[in-house]
Structures are given as C-alpha cells and as structure tokens.
Amino acid sequence: MDTGDTAWVLTSAALVLLMTPGLAFFYGGMVRTKSVLNMMMMSFSSLGIVTVLWVIYGYSLAFGDDLGGGLVGDPSQFFGLTGLMSEDSIVATIPSLAFVGFQAVFAIITVALISGAIADRAKFGAWCVFTVVWATIVYFPVAHWVFAFDGTTAGEDSVGGWIANKLLAIDFAGGTAVHINAGAAGLALALVLGKRVGWPKEPFRPHNLPFVMLGAGLLWFGWFGFNAGSALGANTLAAVAWVNTIAATAAALIGWLLVERFRDGHPTSLGAASGVVAGLVAITPAASSVSPIGSVIIGVLAGVFCALAVGLKYKLGYDDSLDVVGVHLIGGLWGTLAIGLFATSTSPAGVDGLFFGGGIDQLWRQAVGAFAVLAYSFILTLIIGFAIQKTIGFRLDEESEVEGIDGREHAESAYDSSTGGGSTRPVVAAKKTAESEVPA
Amino acid sequence: MKLITAVIKPHKLDEVKAALETFGVQGMTVSEASGYGRQKGHTEVYRGAEYTVDLVPKSRVEVLVDDTDVVDVVDVITKAAATGRIGDGKVWTTPVDDVVRVRTGERGADAL
C-alpha cells in the first residue's frame, strides 16, 4: 500500500463527488424557473440511490469476478462490501475501499447525466425507479466490461470484463462507460417520454446562465479527480492525464465559441460552458493515450463537433432537452474514436493510433467498444423506459408540466418573488385562525 | 389636470428625472415596464437555437401636472429621453378628474 497514492485517490474521489452537485447547477440553470428544483433533484437523488446500490451489490456487479464472457461480475462476492475493510484488501497500491469510493462517484454521475435529456417532464418517483433499474442492469455491467481489468480487485486470479481484457479498447476514465452510456440512455429516454409541451415552438430559454457557468466550473474542477484520479496513483500517469484534461478542455471552449461566432454572430456564455463540458467529455477516454498537442486537437474538434451536433435535435425532432446526446454521446464517441487516430506510444498507454503509424488496429477496437456500449445502453434503456411508462407512468401529465414540475412533484418553488408579507402564510397558523373563528 | 405617462429607454431615466426636477416638477412615479413598438424586440441564441424576445425592458414615468404645464413637461421629457434611435418610447397625456393628497386631504391643483 502506498500512502501518497491513497491520499490522491481519496482526494480524487471527493473531487468527482463534487461534479454531481456541479451538474445539478449546470442543468438547473438551463431550465425554466418553474422546474429548476426538479432538475437539481434528479442529480441529488442519484447521489442517494446509486450510492446505496453501490454499497449493497453495485460494486460487486462491476468489480466482482466475472461470471462468464466478461459480461458481469459476481454480485455475491463483495455483497455489502464484505471483506474489504481489512488491511490486506488492496487494489493496486491503495486500500480496496479507496477504489470502491472512487468508482462509486463515477456510477452516481453517469446516472445523473441522463436526466438532462428529460428535463421538465418526468415523474420524480418514476425517475427514482429508473435510477435503480438502469444502474443495476446497464451501468454496473458496462462498468465491468470497461473498468474491471483481470487481476485488479480480488487478487491476481480475479477475472474482469471483455472490453478491458479481450477487446483492449482504451477507455481511460470512462468515455464509453460514462458518457456514451449516459448519452445513448438520454436519447432513448427522450424518445420514450416525448417532447415537452410547446417544444420546439416555445422558447425554453435558460433561466440562470450564471448557474450554468458555476456548474461548468465545478465540473471542470471535479473532472481533474475523474481523469487524473483514474491513474489510481500519485504518479506520471496522473500528471499526464491532468495536463491533457486542461489542454483539451481549454481548446474545446475556444472551438465551441468559434462556431458560435461564425454561425450565430455572438460567442455566448452558454456556449463557453458547453464547450468546457464537451472538451472534458472527449478527453476523458483519451487522457492516458495522447500527447498534450493531441489533446488540444481532440479538444478543439470536440468543441466544433458538439456545437454542431446540438442542432440535430431540431432536425430530427427529438427533445433532448439539455443536449445530453449532443454533448455526451457525440463528445464521448469522438474522444473514444480519436484514441484510434491520435494515440501515441510516447504516452503512458503506449499505443500508436492511425496518425502515428499504428494503422487501424486500435481504431477498430475503439469503434467496437464504443458502439457496443452505445447499442446496449440504447436498447436496454428503451425497454426500461417503456416498461416504466406502461406500468407506473414516466411522463408527467400535461397540466402539471405546464403549471411547473417543482410545485407538483416537490411542493416547492425555487424563487419567492412575493415582495411583501401576507401573500403566503404557514398552513398551521391558517388552520388555527380558521378554528378560532368557529363560534363557541 | 393631466397625467403624463412616458415609456422610455431605461438608461434615459436619470436624464428625464433630472430635467423634470430642473423644470420644477415635484414628484413622479417610476416603474419597470416591458413592451414593444413597431421595431419589435431582439433575438437571442442559445446553443444555436434562435429565440425572439419581443418584450424589451422599459421605464415608465408618470407625472401629474396642472393643465398649464402640460405642453412644457411633455416637451422636457421628449427632449431628455430622445436618442434618435428606434425604441426611444412614447409620451401621452390623460385627463384627470381629481387628485387627493392622502396626508392632508387637499384636492385638485393644491394636491399636486
């Protein structure tokens, strides 16, 4: 065990945890005043639900010994995280529970990311049910495919997932397991729930762009834990990932703004925030396998591709409200495939891509990994979504949606715009007054 | 007596207020307003989607004046609020039957 590595991974885990509240601000600012709380609650509910699932059986499904074919881990092996508290239980050079915590926050944010596709119109209870089912049958297995390497979690004999060990696609910090996975699921749910009332005719302008920028800032900050923490050690690999993360993100910010400047006439704050997220998404899988210059190229193109991709929903007619598809699916696909183009053997991953003399060997591995996750996530999410819609109902009724989901689902409003006293009063006091008015 | 109502560009409010004070107007009511005239509003772009924002922020100034001052006050407001560009706003007058000063109960011109 290495104390420096342990300190870094625990710190990284805390950084990644902050990304989900950051995402709540990012998404919350983009919706209207009447649905900001619901938007933020979808992220916060993921913090609650996914963590508990992770402790009970999620970690075991993802990192338990493979049950066969590299598809899913043994849920009984680490059920309740049994046996992981001892001093002998380590993953690489850190305590097993440091790894458990670090991977838990990945699962949380992946689920939370999906919620951006169904802003304003999902029943909160149905979303919570979806969270349980989706994490269980989509995220935990896919995390096993991508993150469970042979020999990592339960001694040298432990058997991991097929993408990590057989396909040998590079996904350093989760371009497939996190972003393509969430993006494909977002697309499926947007199709199951349908368009918001009034979309795309009515304006759905962001109600608070400073929230969006605050959220993007918190995401960027936390993302250093996401990417540099994925080195699982305080070492060169972590430093390379850190620098690649900042380089690609900065370039994507510029790329997105350039598209806006030339296409729309104005570089916008929403564009800057979105460019940041697009760059972070794209560099996530590639942070260990490209050079800083490669990162800049991947980043600037991520900004351009994602800025153009968010317009797809208007052309194709699906209401991916906050552009989970345009940013996470497209950004994740680009970053994952870009490894096959820009990977260099001078990087810690030690693989050459197409542009560095490696031929198409790595590129096809990346493509198979990316599209396998995309297809699995999209199809399974469609099935889960329709099942929930047909049984307990996923979509909120039209009246509640127009009135505002915050009031209907949470009995709260984000902003109190009454200026004087007297417009609201406590229910308890009102009841007492009413009783005292009854003649004795 | 007349009620003069002016809907003007918000950034011209201070100038209009100062000009009215210089002219000798003792009080006024100012409120935030939004609306549009012939030029309509402006467009905003969010992630490539263009929205027309047709209600533009404006300031609404209301002044109660004696009949003899109406022409001058309208003139003062018009001059102070003008930029020469679209969206400068409108000024109009409305007849007022009576005015009461709440504190003293004075009526009519005495209450101005």
Side-chain angles (χ1 to χ4, degrees):
Chain A
M1 199 189 84
D2 185 292
T3 53
D5 290 347
T6 305
W8 171 235
V9 173
L10 288 174
T11 305
S12 291
L15 285 169
V16 181
L17 182 78
L18 187 63
M19 290 169 69
T20 299
L23 182 78
F25 273 98
F26 183 67
Y27 280 172
M30 273 192 275
V31 296
R32 294 164 294 171
T33 46
K34 63 184 179 182
S35 43
V36 51
L37 292 175
N38 174 257
M39 198 67 244
M40 298 182 103
M41 278 295 281
M42 288 201 274
S43 288
F44 274 73
S45 63
S46 176
L47 283 160
I49 294 168
V50 177
T51 305
V52 173
L53 298 182
W54 189 251
V55 168
I56 298 172
Y57 59 77
Y59 175 74
S60 199
L61 274 178
F63 292 102
D65 271 351
D66 190 66
L67 290 178
L71 295 176
V72 70
D74 178 357
S76 66
Q77 188 175 7
F78 302 119
F79 189 84
L81 303 179
T82 316
L84 296 178
M85 289 195 292
S86 88
E87 293 251 335
D88 305 330
S89 181
I90 59 169
V91 171
T93 59
I94 60 173
S96 291
L97 283 182
F99 184 69
V100 169
F102 183 65
Q103 284 291 339
V105 285
F106 278 54
I108 292 165
I109 193 163
T110 306
V111 174
L113 285 172
I114 302 168
S115 65
I118 52 166
D120 299 357
R121 60 195 188 283
K123 285 183 191 167
F124 185 68
W127 165 255
C128 293
V129 171
F130 172 81
T131 298
V132 173
V133 179
W134 192 86
T136 304
I137 67 176
V138 182
Y139 183 80
F140 299 151
V142 170
H144 178 75
W145 303 357
V146 176
F147 294 137
F149 291 88
D150 288 348
T152 48
T153 54
E156 288 174 9
D157 303 333
S158 73
V159 189
W162 70 278
I163 289 181
N165 298 298
K166 302 220 168 61
L167 182 62
L168 303 176
I170 296 171
D171 182 0
F172 183 60
T176 55
V178 176
H179 299 288
I180 293 175
N181 202 353
L187 178 59
L189 277 198
L191 294 175
V192 171
L193 268 71
K195 305 165 191 175
R196 284 168 291 179
V197 176
W199 189 88
K201 283 185 200 144
E202 277 175 39
F204 290 89
R205 293 193 292 155
H207 91 283
N208 191 331
L209 283 168
F211 270 12
V212 176
M213 300 194 85
L214 170 68
L218 289 172
L219 282 168
W220 197 345
F221 177 74
W223 223 295
F224 286 114
F226 205 77
N227 287 1
S230 288
L232 296 183
N235 52 31
T236 308
L237 176 55
V240 170
W242 200 105
V243 171
N244 281 343
T245 299
I246 196 170
T249 308
L253 195 170
I254 294 168
W256 193 301
L257 291 183
L258 284 174
V259 169
E260 288 193 329
R261 174 65 188 81
F262 290 111
R263 185 185 59 188
D264 311 323
H266 297 90
T268 67
S269 60
L270 181 60
S274 310
V276 162
V277 177
L280 289 164
V281 168
I283 200 59
T284 293
S288 68
S289 55
V290 298
S291 71
I293 281 292
S295 296
V296 168
I297 297 168
I298 290 173
V300 75
L301 290 174
V304 171
F305 293 159
C306 293
L308 296 174
V310 295
L312 287 176
K313 63 181 179 182
Y314 299 105
K315 289 206 178 74
L316 303 175
Y318 57 90
D319 184 11
D320 166 26
S321 318
L322 310 182
D323 297 313
V324 182
V325 176
V327 176
H328 293 277
L329 181 57
I330 301 298
L333 276 174
W334 164 238
T336 302
L337 296 175
I339 294 168
L341 305 174
F342 295 99
T344 165
S345 54
T346 58
S347 71
V351 172
D352 278 321
L354 184 63
F355 298 157
F356 289 82
I360 61 158
D361 184 59
Q362 195 60 39
L363 187 58
W364 75 258
R365 294 176 191 279
Q366 298 302 120
V368 171
F371 287 101
V373 172
L374 197 168
Y376 182 76
S377 176
F378 182 76
I379 293 166
L380 267 281
T381 309
L382 271 185
I383 295 169
I384 300 166
F386 275 121
I388 292 175
Q389 177 74 331
K390 294 288 173 207
T391 50
I392 57 173
F394 212 144
R395 174 86 186 238
L396 201 64
D397 65 277
E398 186 174 328
E399 187 188 342
S400 309
E401 189 185 323
V402 172
E403 220 169 76
I405 192 169
D406 283 359
R408 186 56 65 107
E409 290 291 288
H410 307 288
E412 289 179 297
S413 47
Y415 306 99
D416 184 353
S417 52
S418 63
T419 48
S423 63
T424 58
R425 56 183 175 162
V427 173
V428 179
K431 276 184 187 153
K432 271 188 189 162
T433 313
E435 279 164 16
S436 62
E437 277 166 7
V438 177
Chain B
M1 285 165 297
K2 291 274 193 294
L3 170 67
I4 299 175
T5 308
V7 174
I8 60 171
K9 287 186 170 170
H11 79 281
K12 282 289 184 181
L13 178 61
D14 280 346
E15 278 177 61
V16 169
K17 195 164 151 270
L20 285 171
E21 276 166 12
T22 310
F23 180 78
V25 170
Q26 305 258 358
M28 68 189 71
T29 305
V30 177
S31 44
E32 287 179 15
S34 59
Y36 62 85
R38 263 175 283 179
Q39 89 283 1
K40 297 288 182 185
H42 61 274
T43 54
E44 294 179 7
V45 183
Y46 297 96
R47 280 184 174 163
E50 207 167 284
Y51 299 112
T52 304
V53 180
D54 50 11
L55 296 174
V56 184
K58 294 285 172 190
S59 292
R60 177 189 181 106
V61 181
E62 288 164 308
V63 192
L64 279 168
V65 296
D66 209 18
D67 288 337
T68 53
D69 293 331
V70 171
V71 176
D72 290 335
V73 170
V74 168
D75 197 40
V76 165
I77 294 175
T78 308
K79 280 201 179 114
T83 66
R85 290 190 293 276
I86 54 168
D88 269 359
K90 295 248 186 318
V91 186
W92 63 90
T93 59
T94 319
V96 174
D97 289 339
D98 200 5
V99 181
V100 185
R101 173 171 282 131
V102 174
R103 175 169 53 85
T104 59
E106 289 165 285
R107 286 181 171 270
D110 292 336
L112 290 178

